Amino acid sequence: MPDETPTLEQESVDHVRIRFAGDSGDGMQLAGARFTDASAIFGNDLATLPSYPAEIRAPAGTIAGVSSFQVHIADSDILTPGDNPDVLVAMNPAALRANLADLAPAGTIVVNRDAFDERNLERAGYTTNPLRDGSLRGYTVIEVPMEEMTREAVKDTGITGRGVLRSKNFFALGLMIWMFSRPLEPTLEWIKATFAKDEAVMRANEAALRAGYNFGLNTEQFRHTYQVRPAKLKPGVHANVTGNQTVAWGLVAAAQAARLPLLYSSYPITPASDILHELSRYQRLGVRTFQAEDEIAAIGVALGASFGGNLGVTGTSGPGLALKSETMSLAVMTELPLLIIDVQRGGPSTGLPTKTEQADLLMALYGRHGEAPLPVLAIASPGDAFGTMIEAARIALKYMTPVIVLSDGYIANSAEPWLLPNLDALPDISVPFVTGPNSDGKFMPYLRDAQTLARGWAVPGTPGLEHRVGGLEKEDVTGAVSYTPANHEKMVLLRERKIAGIADDIPAVVVDADEGADLLVVGWGSTYPAISAGVRQARGRGAKVARAHLRHLNPFPRNLGEVLRRYRQVLVPELNRGHLARLLRAEFLVDAIGMSKVQGMPFKTFEIEEKIVEMTRP
Amino acid sequence: MTDTETKRYTRADFQSDQEVRWCPGCGDYTILASMQTFLAEVGLDREKVVFVSGIGCSSRFPYYMSTYGFHGIHGRAPAIASGIALANPGLSVWVITGDGDALSIGGNHIIHAMRRNLNIKVLLFNNQIYGLTKGQFSPTSEFGKRTKSSPSGALGRPFNPVSLALGAEATFVARTIDMDRPHTIEVLRRAYQHRGAAFIEIYQNCNVFNDKAFAELTGKEDRLANRINLQHGKPVVFGPNQERGVVLGASGARIVDVAEVGLEALHVHDEHAPDPSAAFALSRLSHGPHGPTPMGVFRDVQRSLYEDDLQRQVSDAQGGRGPADLTELIRQTGTWTIN
C-alpha cells in the first residue's frame, strides 16, 4: 500500500453491494469498472450491473440522465449483482432520487454535497433539500464536498477550466477504495497506462484518486472501514470479463478450433457494438472485421465469406436481427455455416436500447419466411459465452447451417471473474472442405452425409467442383433448381430432420434437484444467476425445488420432455411475456407456468425466491 | 493475362448444364454469350470465377455459367460478393444485377461497394423495367412511363446509373449495349484488367415489357447519329462523319459542330483523370437514352484495394511475427492467479 494502513476499526463483512450513481457525464461507469477490477485482482468473487441512459448526454442533472454501476463483491461464490445496494454513491440530487428506493434499509449514502444546490435540486424534482429536510433519516448519510476537494487536489497538475471537475469520479472512487480496503495500485497503474498521452489528465486523475482515499483516512466522518476477504475461487488464472468480451474471445477460439479464418461482419448497434470493437483490435491474431453499410449487408458479407471458406459471423441486436431475417433464410436454403449473435435489448422497435430483455427468443426460432429451422443457443453469463460460441461454431460447421446465439444487454455489459480455460486443449471442430468428386466422378453439392444430413462444403477455387447455390429450391443431391412439388416437400423435411437430429449430438439437460422436489424451475440465458441464487435462498428457507438451465433452445436436449414430466409444477422465469413457457407447453404438453418481467432489468434474487417459496408452500 | 497465352477454353466450357430460360429474344442471351466468349478468350480457370446475383431476370445468370455461382436475394449481391472477395482475394468475382436490383432495393449496397473498391465487377443489366414481376416501372424508367403500377405515368426522375456510380467514386465506370458483342467483350476485358471495383451499365433490351427502349442506339442510322464512342486521349467526336463533338464548359458538357468550334476546342477524354467531374459531365449528356449517348469507358483510375489494405493492416499488426496468441491477449487485459 502506498499510504499508511488505516488505523480505524475494520469491520469484516462477507459481501457488500455498492452502487455508483451520477450524471451520465460524471464517469460512473468508469468508476464502477475500476472498483470492480481492483476487487477482482484482490480476489473477491463479484458480479456487476451497469445501467446507463440511451442518450449519450441526456440533459445534465435530470433523472433521465442518471447513469449507475452496481458491483457486488463477496468472499464466497456469488451469482448476481445483488438486489439492493448497501452503499449508494450519489454524485448529484438526481442520482440520489433515482436510486434511493433501491437502497437497503439502514444503508449508507455517500453524497457529493457540492452538487446539492438549488438548480440541481430543482432539475431532480426536489422541492426541498433531502440532505436537510429529514427525509434521509434511517440511513447513514456521509456528505463529502467532492467538487471542492477535487478542485483543491488537482490545482497543481496543470489541468484547468472544465477539465478540473472531470476528475471527481476518481475522488469518489478513491474514497470507496479506502472504505472497502482495496489496494490503490491497480487503479494507479491503470491511470498511468490509460492517460499516458495526456500528462495533465493523468496527474489530475491520480491526485483526485489519492485525495479521495486520503479524505477517508483523515476525516472523522467514517466510523470504520470494511473488509471483504478474497473468495475461494477455483485455482487457476482468472480474468474479470464482460459478456461482449468473452463472445469475442470465444469466436477467436472457435475459429482456431475450426482451423478457419474468422470474418466478423457487423453494423454498429447497442449493445452489440462492443463485440465489433473488441474483435477489431485483434488483427494481430489474424481476425478480420468488416463494418458494413447496414445490417443486411453485414450478414450478406458474412454469408459470402462462409461460401468462400471462412468462419463467417455477424452480430447485432433485436432490430438488426429482424433486418437479417431474409438472409438467414437464404443461409438455411444454401446450407452454409454462419453464426448470428443477437445481443437482445428491450423492444419492440428502438425500445430500451441500453436495457436488457429476452424477448427475441420466438423471433430467433420462428422469425423467418418459409419453413426455415435453425439451431438456437443461449449464453447464460459472461463466463459461459466463451464455450457457447465454440459450441455454436461446432454445430454450424458439422451440420452446415446458420446458428443463432442469444446474448442480452445484461450479459453483454456485466462483469464476473472467469477461470481461463486451457486454450491449448480446445476441441477440434474442424470440418474438411470437399476437395474432389463425391459421386461417380462428379460433385453433387446437395449430397448429404448419411448421419448428420449435412451437405459437403466445396469452396470456390477448388478445381472440378464448380457449382451454384442460391435461394431457389434445390433438387435433392444434384442441387439443380427444382420446382417439383414432391422435391420441395422432401427438401423441407430433410432440412427439418437435419436440425432436429442435432438433439442427438448435444448434452442432456442437467437437473439440480432436491430429493422430493415437485417444482422444477427452468430458465435460459441471463436469468441463470438470479434463478440459481433464488433457488439457493429458497432452499435456505426449507423449500424443496429442482432447477434446470437450457443452453440449447433448438433443438431441445433429448431428455427435456422426460425431465419436465417428472415434476408436478414447472416454473419458467423469463424477461419476456412467456416465450420459453409457450414453447415447452406446445412441445411437451406440460402446464409450464410463466414468470414474466419486462422492466429492462434482470430478475432480483428475492423475486425468484419468493415465487419458489410461494409455490412450494405445503 | 497476355495475348500470347494459349487459349485452353472455348465458349462451351463456360456453359452450364442448365437450360437457359429467358424469354426468346431477350437481350440477356447476347450478354451471356459475350461473357462466355470473353472468359474463354481471356483463359480464366473456371474454378477461379464466381458469379453472384440478386433477384430479377438477369440474376438467373449464375445458373447458366459453369463456374462457381451464388444466386442471392434481392439487391444484396454486392454484399455477398464482398464477403467472397474478402474470404478469397484470388477469385474473379462478378456481380450480375439489374436496374431494380441494383438501384432500387440494393441501392445502398451498390454505392458502398464502389466506395470501398473491393475487387468485384458489377454488371448492371439496365432494361428500364421490372421484367420478372411482369412490367412495373423501375428506378431507370423515364418520367411519366405508363406501366401496370403507373397507369397515369411514373413519377420521380430516373437515375442515370453511370452518373450514380461516378458520384460514388467508382474507380472503373463503363457503358455498353447488349447487341454490340465486340464492344461488350472489350468492356468486360477492360473491367477484368482493372484492379478494383468496376461498374458496367449494359443497356439490355426487354422485348416483352419494354421493347426498343434503346432503339436510338441500335438502328443503323440512329446508331451512327447517336453513339459517342469514348476513346482515351482522343477528342470526343461522333456522327456519320465525325462532324459533331463535345466541349466542356462551366455549365457542363455540350454538343457542338466541330466545324464551328474547331477540333482543338473539343474535350479530350481522359479515363485516368483523378477527378470524376469531366466523366460525370459526359454522363449527363444523355438520359433515357435520347440523343447522343457516350458509350465505353468513362473512368479507369487506380486506388488501393480494400482487401489489400485490410491484409496490410493485419500484416502490420503481426509485424512479421505471425498470428499472436489468444491466451497472451487475454492475459494482457489483466488476470490474477489463484493457487
Side-chain angles (χ1 to χ4, degrees), chain A residues 37 39-44 46 231-240 245 249-250 252-253 256 261 263 278 281-294 296-298 300-310 326-327 330 334 336 386 417-418 420-421 423-424 426 458-472 474 479-481 483, chain B residues 9 15-18 21 45-52 55 60-76 78-89 91 105-106 108-113 115-116 118 306-307 309-319 321-339:
Chain A
D37 263 20
S39 300
I41 292 166
F42 182 70
N44 293 131
L46 57 89
K232 287 192 184 64
L233 298 175
K234 282 182 186 157
V237 179
H238 288 72
N240 179 36
Q245 216 168 21
W249 294 346
V252 176
Q256 285 177 3
L263 185 86
E278 196 72 23
R281 296 166 43 227
Y282 297 167
Q283 288 184 328
R284 64 198 150 109
L285 296 182
V287 173
R288 287 165 308 144
T289 57
F290 186 84
Q291 183 176 316
E293 60 269 26
D294 60 31
I296 298 171
V301 167
L303 183 61
S306 285
F307 181 62
N310 279 9
E326 188 189 11
T327 310
L330 177 65
T334 53
L336 286 165
F386 189 83
W418 176 59
L420 261 63
L423 297 179
D424 297 327
L426 288 176
V459 302
T462 316
L465 307 189
E466 296 84 8
H467 65 285
R468 276 65 59 193
V469 296
L472 288 172
K474 298 289 173 286
V481 172
Y483 302 137
Chain B
Y9 294 110
Q15 294 169 340
S16 78
D17 57 358
Q18 301 285 301
R21 291 186 185 172
D45 293 326
R46 280 194 305 217
E47 71 271 15
K48 299 219 172 78
V49 184
V50 187
F51 282 90
V52 187
I55 296 294
R60 299 298 171 92
F61 198 97
Y63 290 119
Y64 307 140
M65 299 295 301
S66 61
T67 62
Y68 282 94
F70 199 134
H71 179 210
I73 45 180
H74 209 8
R76 319 304 172 197
I80 295 168
S82 298
I84 295 170
L86 284 167
N88 189 343
L91 299 170
I105 193 165
N108 196 24
H109 309 307
I110 209 85
I111 54 175
H112 286 277
R115 174 180 75 80
R116 290 195 187 98
L118 276 132
Y306 186 99
E307 49 270 55
D309 290 341
L310 178 59
Q311 193 48 52
R312 189 172 314 115
Q313 286 186 349
V314 170
S315 307
D316 287 353
Q318 296 181 353
R321 294 181 298 273
D325 181 57
L326 178 61
T327 313
E328 200 49 46
L329 177 132
I330 294 175
R331 280 174 185 269
Q332 281 167 13
T333 65
T335 57
W336 67 97
T337 304
I338 291 170
N339 298 311

Side-chain angles (χ1 to χ4, degrees), chain A residues 40 61 64 69 77 162 171 196 270 395 458 487 519 535 539 541 548 580:
Chain A
F69 189 106
D77 163 36
R162 292 160 61 89
F171 183 93
T270 303
I395 292 173
N487 178 72
L519 168 65
V535 165
R539 282 175 178 161
R541 290 166 65 182
L580 179 63

